[in-house]
Amino acid sequence: MIKVIIERHIADELGEHYEKAARTTLQKAMQAHGFISGEALRNVNDHNHRVVIATYRTVADWERWLSSEERKEMMEQIRPMLDREEKFTLLEH
Protein backbone atom coordinates (compact mmCIF):
# COMPACT_ATOMS: atom_id res chain seq x y z
CA MET A 1 0.00 0.00 0.00
CA ILE A 2 1.25 3.50 -0.84
CA LYS A 3 0.23 7.05 -0.04
CA VAL A 4 0.36 9.68 -2.75
CA ILE A 5 0.63 13.30 -1.65
CA ILE A 6 -0.48 15.69 -4.39
CA GLU A 7 0.26 19.35 -3.71
CA ARG A 8 -1.37 22.08 -5.75
CA HIS A 9 -1.26 25.84 -5.48
CA ILE A 10 -4.22 27.58 -7.04
CA ALA A 11 -4.35 31.09 -8.40
CA ASP A 12 -6.09 33.79 -6.34
CA GLU A 13 -9.88 33.97 -6.65
CA LEU A 14 -10.21 30.49 -8.21
CA GLY A 15 -10.83 28.49 -5.03
CA GLU A 16 -14.50 27.82 -5.65
CA HIS A 17 -13.92 26.68 -9.24
CA TYR A 18 -11.00 24.53 -8.14
CA GLU A 19 -13.04 22.84 -5.39
CA LYS A 20 -15.70 21.75 -7.85
CA ALA A 21 -13.18 20.34 -10.34
CA ALA A 22 -11.11 18.67 -7.59
CA ARG A 23 -14.20 16.94 -6.15
CA THR A 24 -15.06 15.55 -9.58
CA THR A 25 -11.48 14.33 -10.03
CA LEU A 26 -11.48 12.62 -6.63
CA GLN A 27 -14.80 10.93 -7.44
CA LYS A 28 -13.33 9.57 -10.67
CA ALA A 29 -10.14 8.47 -8.88
CA MET A 30 -12.23 6.52 -6.39
CA GLN A 31 -13.31 4.29 -9.26
CA ALA A 32 -9.73 3.64 -10.41
CA HIS A 33 -8.26 0.17 -10.03
CA GLY A 34 -6.30 -0.08 -6.78
CA PHE A 35 -7.66 3.12 -5.22
CA ILE A 36 -8.29 2.65 -1.50
CA SER A 37 -9.04 6.10 -0.05
CA GLY A 38 -8.47 9.80 -0.50
CA GLU A 39 -8.96 13.15 1.14
CA ALA A 40 -8.57 16.75 0.04
CA LEU A 41 -7.15 19.30 2.48
CA ARG A 42 -6.48 23.04 2.56
CA ASN A 43 -3.46 24.62 4.23
CA VAL A 44 -4.71 26.78 7.15
CA ASN A 45 -1.89 29.28 6.59
CA ASP A 46 -2.22 29.48 2.80
CA HIS A 47 -5.74 28.88 1.49
CA ASN A 48 -4.43 28.57 -2.06
CA HIS A 49 -2.24 25.60 -1.10
CA ARG A 50 -4.21 22.36 -1.46
CA VAL A 51 -3.12 18.83 -0.62
CA VAL A 52 -4.70 15.58 -1.72
CA ILE A 53 -3.70 12.43 0.14
CA ALA A 54 -4.64 9.28 -1.74
CA THR A 55 -4.00 5.66 -0.83
CA TYR A 56 -3.44 3.13 -3.59
CA ARG A 57 -2.74 -0.56 -3.44
CA THR A 58 0.49 -0.32 -5.47
CA VAL A 59 2.69 2.19 -7.29
CA ALA A 60 1.54 0.57 -10.55
CA ASP A 61 -2.10 1.33 -9.64
CA TRP A 62 -1.20 4.98 -9.02
CA GLU A 63 0.78 5.21 -12.26
CA ARG A 64 -2.13 3.67 -14.17
CA TRP A 65 -4.45 6.41 -12.83
CA LEU A 66 -1.83 9.13 -13.32
CA SER A 67 -1.52 8.32 -17.03
CA SER A 68 -5.21 7.55 -17.60
CA GLU A 69 -7.29 9.50 -20.11
CA GLU A 70 -9.82 10.29 -17.37
CA ARG A 71 -7.20 12.02 -15.23
CA LYS A 72 -5.71 13.82 -18.21
CA GLU A 73 -9.15 15.19 -19.09
CA MET A 74 -9.76 16.32 -15.51
CA MET A 75 -6.35 17.98 -15.31
CA GLU A 76 -7.14 19.95 -18.47
CA GLN A 77 -9.80 21.67 -16.36
CA ILE A 78 -7.68 22.03 -13.21
CA ARG A 79 -4.29 22.99 -14.69
CA PRO A 80 -5.37 26.52 -15.81
CA MET A 81 -6.39 27.25 -12.20
CA LEU A 82 -2.92 26.47 -10.85
CA ASP A 83 -0.20 29.06 -10.52
CA ARG A 84 2.51 26.37 -10.49
CA GLU A 85 2.92 22.72 -11.41
CA GLU A 86 1.41 20.13 -9.10
CA LYS A 87 3.90 18.16 -7.01
CA PHE A 88 3.72 14.42 -6.21
CA THR A 89 5.28 12.54 -3.32
CA LEU A 90 4.87 8.76 -3.06
CA LEU A 91 5.25 7.21 0.39
CA GLU A 92 5.24 3.63 1.60
CA HIS A 93 5.24 1.94 5.01
Side-chain angles (χ1 to χ4, degrees), residues 6-21:
I6 304 168
E7 292 186 73
R8 297 181 182 134
H9 201 275
I10 58 173
D12 288 333
E13 309 300 325
L14 293 178
E16 188 175 320
H17 300 289
Y18 170 81
E19 291 299 329
K20 183 178 178 184

Side-chain angles (χ1 to χ4, degrees), residues 4-55:
V4 180
I5 311 299
I6 304 168
E7 292 186 73
R8 297 181 182 134
H9 201 275
I10 58 173
D12 288 333
E13 309 300 325
L14 293 178
E16 188 175 320
H17 300 289
Y18 170 81
E19 291 299 329
K20 183 178 178 184
R23 271 194 301 276
T24 301
T25 302
L26 186 55
Q27 289 170 350
K28 297 238 184 221
M30 291 169 67
Q31 299 169 26
H33 180 79
F35 180 90
I36 296 172
S37 66
E39 61 183 320
L41 306 166
R42 182 172 58 186
N43 184 328
V44 297
N45 296 312
D46 178 357
H47 290 292
N48 290 340
H49 180 208
R50 308 302 170 87
V51 177
V52 175
I53 303 172
T55 304

Side-chain angles (χ1 to χ4, degrees), residues 8-11 14 18 21 25 66 71-86 88:
R8 297 181 182 134
H9 201 275
I10 58 173
L14 293 178
Y18 170 81
T25 302
L66 181 63
R71 187 175 194 282
K72 287 177 186 177
E73 289 173 12
M74 297 308 302
M75 286 309 298
E76 285 178 15
Q77 295 175 22
I78 291 175
R79 195 169 286 111
M81 295 181 233
L82 304 180
D83 63 8
R84 59 190 80 153
E85 290 295 314
E86 62 182 347
F88 305 106

